[in-house]
Amino acid sequence: MRKSRLSRAFGKRTAQINPNIMKQGEQHPLHPSLELNKQQLEGVYSRCSDFHVRYLPIGDSNQAVIYYIDGLANASRIEQTVIEPLTGFSGETISVGYMAEHLITSASSKLLSTFEEVIKHLSIGEPVLFLNDEPQGLAFGLSSWQTRSIEEPTAESVIRGPREGFTETLRVNTALIRRIIKSPLLKMDSFCIGEYTQTSIIIAYIEGLAAPELISEVKERLGSIQIDGILESGYIEELIEDHPLSPFPQILSTERPDVVSSNLLEGRVVILTEGTPFALIAPVTFFSLMQSAEDYYQRFMFSTAIRWLRYFFAAISLLLPSIYVALLTFHQEMVPGSLLFSMATSREAVPFPALVEALLMEITFEALREAGVRLPKQIGAAVSIVGALVIGQAAVQAGLVSAPMVIIVAITGISSFMIPRYITGLPIRLLRFPFILLAGSLGLLGIMSGLIALVIHLCSLKSFNVPYLSGVMKSELRDILIRSPIWMMDARPDLIRTTNKYRQAQGQMPNPGQGTNDE
């Protein structure tokens, strides 16, 4: 009679649970009855062919059941560390706690008290065991699935520096960071976002370096996300950035553990996402997006020269086609006579004005570049280079475009490759077209108007309440316009508002040693 009343009561309670959709925030305790727990859990995972069940008789009067998902759990280790010790037990009474302490040889186990916890651990590959007359389950750390090995990031390659890159496995990524920053002050807070994907998110920061208000702001923005699933860190980036309609990125994404570690040491916060090798770093400025990890591995005079070249060619990538269109359309008097005569001769057979010619060539070049990226690696580079040469030469011979325009577009494309980060180069490539239209309609006045509007827009941007163009001050120029020697960079950036300002001894100088004097 008592069992039937419990069954009816539990049936009323579990009837409120949708077996197909387990809503976040709801908690449904496990029942002492093994049969009721089996019915509920097997109902949730009905029509799931990869959901496996193993029934085990334990001793004379006990019964257990193990659930796991094939492909996520290590079946051979389950057999060795769980099933064999339990089937060999000959006692009369047993409990979940006794199994965890004395029978199971798994290195890690955890007691579970709700169905939501059971589903969470099953979803990450951990098998769960139920025992009759026990209102708890036991999860084992026996997850195992195929992962990609650690490789060098293809989008952030360096000549000198570490060759390791993040993978799609979250714990591998956290371990790569721990290998660099070994202090226990490196904190990693975990979140779970996505009603269906239940994606694991980790917020990493160094306690005492990251400002508490920055950490609270990041957690608050992540906590406000309500979405079905997170498939890549780009989802999170769009949902937490300050100005989502701006083409400029306000969060840095990187595959390199050394870049993540250097930003953690400056007091920034890092967001790691399960299933993607890209980590998010906040806050950032425009100048930090123009820096490369290799700037700090080469000698400072070479890094400074490359940094100046980078800014110069970024300006060329943005403005060169529009300046060419403005000079040919409105300001021919600014072009030397011999050069103007040569350009006019080459354009004699071209039926289009300079504006249409520039747009046609730029669109074609961008299409070839994207085609080279999407094609297989073995033929992508060859198609993009050969395609550009063949199409450019054929277009000039057919009289569709002039030879100077082909040269201008080629220089512009090469200049865009000087930008160290792909996400920083995208807005410059996008803004190139409005500048060409402004140059074709208003000349140099249109270009200047566009530049003023661009600077105003950049001044209005913020990244987690840090101004986007901040850092152009005397104390920050040592790491923006130039790359100072390491022994001169004793202070962390002021814009991060870190609680620990200095990262090395003040006034530290190189110590070449005494050596021996030549006699």
Side-chain angles (χ1 to χ4, degrees):
M1 181 64 68
R2 180 176 179 271
K3 182 177 180 181
S4 62
R5 287 199 301 267
L6 286 174
S7 302
R8 289 196 299 269
F10 187 76
K12 293 179 180 179
R13 184 180 65 184
T14 56
Q16 300 174 1
I17 305 175
N18 188 338
N20 298 317
I21 302 176
M22 301 297 294
K23 295 182 179 180
Q24 288 183 311
E26 296 184 2
Q27 297 294 323
H28 300 88
L30 294 172
H31 197 273
S33 172
L34 177 62
E35 187 64 30
L36 294 177
N37 289 333
K38 287 166 51 181
Q39 292 178 3
Q40 179 63 20
L41 192 61
E42 293 175 9
V44 170
Y45 281 99
S46 62
R47 300 185 303 277
C48 297
S49 59
D50 56 347
F51 181 70
H52 285 206
V53 183
R54 179 72 179 269
Y55 299 98
L56 298 175
I58 303 177
D60 299 330
S61 58
N62 295 288
Q63 185 180 12
V65 59
I66 297 178
Y67 295 102
Y68 65 94
I69 295 179
D70 189 23
L72 296 182
N74 192 324
S76 61
R77 291 189 61 195
I78 294 174
E79 184 73 28
Q80 296 173 0
T81 61
V82 180
I83 297 178
E84 290 182 2
L86 292 181
T87 53
F89 179 75
S90 58
E92 295 183 359
T93 60
I94 191 174
S95 65
V96 172
Y98 182 85
M99 285 192 300
E101 294 181 5
H102 299 91
L103 295 180
I104 308 301
T105 59
S106 175
S108 61
S109 59
K110 183 179 180 181
L111 292 175
L112 311 178
S113 58
T114 65
F115 278 103
E116 286 70 27
E117 291 179 325
V118 171
I119 293 173
K120 177 182 177 181
H121 284 268
L122 285 172
S123 300
I124 62 176
E126 296 184 359
V128 177
L129 182 144
F130 291 103
L131 190 65
N132 56 326
D133 299 326
E134 288 279 347
Q136 290 179 317
L138 188 62
F140 310 99
L142 299 177
S143 57
S144 176
W145 57 82
Q146 295 295 323
T147 61
R148 182 172 63 91
S149 60
I150 298 174
E151 301 171 353
E152 181 181 1
T154 56
E156 298 177 79
S157 58
V158 295
I159 298 175
R160 179 177 180 178
R163 295 293 193 267
E164 293 180 335
F166 288 134
T167 69
E168 288 74 17
T169 306
L170 188 59
R171 282 307 168 195
V172 173
N173 298 340
T174 58
L176 290 173
I177 300 175
R178 286 283 183 188
R179 284 178 54 188
I180 301 175
I181 303 177
K182 302 177 177 64
S183 172
L185 294 177
L186 173 59
K187 307 301 180 181
M188 295 186 179
D189 298 336
S190 61
F191 286 79
C192 191
I193 302 178
E195 183 175 352
Y196 294 100
T197 60
Q198 296 287 301
T199 306
S200 298
I201 310 293
I202 285 183
I203 301 177
Y205 58 91
I206 297 181
E207 190 175 35
L209 296 186
E213 56 269 19
L214 173 61
I215 301 172
S216 301
E217 180 71 18
V218 174
K219 291 181 178 180
E220 181 181 352
R221 295 190 188 188
L222 289 176
S224 64
I225 297 177
Q226 297 182 0
I227 192 172
D228 285 347
I230 299 292
L231 304 181
E232 213 275 336
S233 58
Y235 284 53
I236 297 176
E237 182 178 359
E238 289 195 38
L239 291 170
I240 65 174
E241 59 185 359
D242 294 67
H243 306 274
L245 298 181
S246 173
F248 290 91
Q250 297 121 57
I251 299 176
L252 172 62
S253 60
T254 180
E255 294 181 77
R256 299 185 62 87
D258 58 326
V259 174
V260 166
S261 301
S262 65
N263 282 275
L264 286 171
L265 292 171
E266 289 187 347
R268 293 183 173 89
V269 174
V270 175
I271 302 173
L272 303 171
T273 307
E274 178 71 36
T276 176
F278 288 92
L280 303 179
I281 301 173
V284 295
T285 64
F286 175 77
F287 303 104
S288 62
L289 292 171
M290 291 292 292
Q291 296 173 358
S292 172
E294 200 172 9
D295 290 352
Y296 301 93
Y297 304 145
Q298 301 284 4
R299 295 182 62 83
F300 69 92
M301 65 281 291
F302 303 138
S303 298
T304 300
I306 292 174
R307 217 172 250 191
W308 278 96
L309 282 175
R310 198 175 291 149
Y311 287 122
F312 176 70
F313 280 101
I316 287 180
S317 175
L318 177 65
L319 299 176
L320 184 60
S322 57
I323 292 176
Y324 177 80
V325 171
L327 293 180
L328 284 188
T329 307
F330 295 99
H331 310 285
Q332 295 89 348
E333 70 280 358
M334 298 181 65
V335 183
S338 58
L339 179 59
L340 181 62
F341 179 77
S342 175
M343 294 168 65
T345 302
S346 64
R347 284 186 45 80
E348 185 176 2
V350 177
F352 305 115
L355 173 62
V356 176
E357 185 184 10
L359 290 175
L360 180 64
M361 285 300 298
E362 284 293 340
I363 293 174
T364 304
F365 184 85
E366 292 296 331
L368 286 172
R369 175 151 60 177
E370 285 300 311
V373 172
R374 309 305 168 195
L375 286 173
K377 293 182 180 180
Q378 292 80 1
I379 61 175
V383 168
S384 59
I385 295 174
V386 174
L389 292 174
V390 172
I391 293 177
Q393 182 65 25
V396 171
Q397 291 181 352
L400 297 178
V401 295
S402 61
M405 178 57 73
V406 175
I407 297 174
I408 292 294
V409 172
I411 294 175
T412 303
I414 294 173
S415 301
S416 65
F417 293 125
M418 283 288 295
I419 300 173
R421 303 190 183 279
Y422 183 76
I423 59 172
T424 312
L426 284 177
I428 295 179
R429 290 165 55 185
L430 179 65
L431 292 173
R432 191 183 302 153
F433 295 96
F435 273 93
I436 293 175
L437 294 175
L438 288 172
S441 56
L442 298 175
L444 293 179
L445 178 62
I447 296 177
M448 291 304 300
S449 301
L451 284 175
I452 293 172
L454 177 60
V455 172
I456 292 174
H457 174 69
L458 291 176
C459 290
S460 65
L461 294 181
K462 288 186 177 181
S463 174
F464 284 81
N465 301 320
V466 173
Y468 203 58
L469 293 183
S470 62
V472 190
M473 300 180 294
K474 183 178 179 181
S475 61
E476 302 294 336
L477 290 178
R478 289 181 294 180
D479 197 26
I480 291 180
L481 296 181
I482 63 174
R483 205 281 274 172
S484 297
I486 295 297
W487 46 270
M488 291 183 61
M489 300 170 61
D490 53 358
R492 293 184 177 85
D494 291 336
L495 58 96
I496 306 299
R497 297 189 294 274
T498 178
T499 55
N500 187 350
K501 182 177 180 181
Y502 295 100
R503 52 186 161 191
Q504 63 186 18
Q506 294 180 257
Q508 181 169 256
M509 296 291 292
N511 183 14
Q514 298 298 324
T516 58
N517 296 326
D518 294 335
E519 295 182 358

